[in-house]
Amino acid sequence: NFNSNYYMDQEQNFQSNNSGASDTTPIKAGNCKKGSLLVIKGNPCKIIDISTSKTGKHGHAKAIITAVDIFTGKKYQESAPTSHNLDQPNLTKTEYQLIHIEDDGFVSLMDEDGNIREDLSLDLKNDELHIKIKEEFDQSKEIIVTVMKCLQKEKIISFKENNKA
């Protein structure tokens, strides 16, 4: 019995060294709720439907989860025993002032400390919101964008005119 505890400790250490460990929090499949976030097949998803099957002859009730990728809108399904842990992605939202938009859609953004980043782009062909941001910016409005970050992916998800200027 002593040995099994030793191996369990080793496993825990290995888990915490995982590069994605801080990006997620464990949640029991049975505790998942509609509207919460979940990692399915490596993608951050928002749960749109969840149902549980009755305990089968092998003793595990199952949660059947339908969710959509928060970045692409693609639908995924996950099925897991309600007692099993699944990964819940940690999500952050940060506001930046939009400084410049390149012809290829790449943007220059400034955070509240004055740091500039130029690693995000607007999808000016397919994303209605991104097209609207460019239209507003082209009218010389001062725009604040919100960047959502989840599982190392980032996307501009909303904007507002800065009326404090």
Side-chain angles (χ1 to χ4, degrees), residues 15 20-47 50 65 67 70 78 84-92 149-152:
Q15 291 279 317
S22 62
D23 293 340
T24 61
T25 312
I27 183 171
K28 294 233 179 293
N31 294 345
C32 290
K33 306 235 179 315
K34 203 170 169 175
S36 32
L37 298 175
L38 196 63
V39 179
I40 301 179
K41 295 177 179 63
N43 302 294
C45 298
K46 186 176 198 167
I47 298 172
I50 184 161
I65 300 162
I70 58 175
E78 178 77 77
H84 279 209
N85 272 345
L86 299 173
D87 287 329
Q88 193 167 36
N90 298 327
L91 184 139
T92 58
K149 179 177 182 176
C150 194
L151 297 182
Q152 304 306 315

Side-chain angles (χ1 to χ4, degrees), residues 101-149:
I101 302 174
E102 294 288 339
D103 294 338
D104 62 3
F106 272 88
V107 292
S108 298
L109 303 174
M110 184 171 67
D111 68 13
E112 58 189 19
D113 298 326
N115 300 312
I116 305 281
R117 61 178 294 184
E118 299 176 312
D119 57 340
L120 289 173
S121 64
L122 297 174
D123 178 354
L124 298 172
K125 288 192 178 70
N126 306 309
D127 192 312
E128 294 292 322
L129 175 79
H130 289 183
I131 293 165
K132 183 93 174 115
I133 290 171
K134 179 160 175 33
E135 286 169 0
E136 296 280 316
F137 186 76
D138 288 346
Q139 293 171 22
S140 301
K141 293 184 180 171
E142 195 173 306
I143 303 295
I144 303 292
V145 297
T146 301
V147 175
M148 174 175 70
K149 179 177 182 176

Side-chain angles (χ1 to χ4, degrees), residues 89-101:
N90 298 327
L91 184 139
T92 58
K93 291 180 182 174
T94 312
E95 288 191 342
Y96 296 92
Q97 183 177 340
L98 179 58
I99 306 291
H100 182 73
I101 302 174

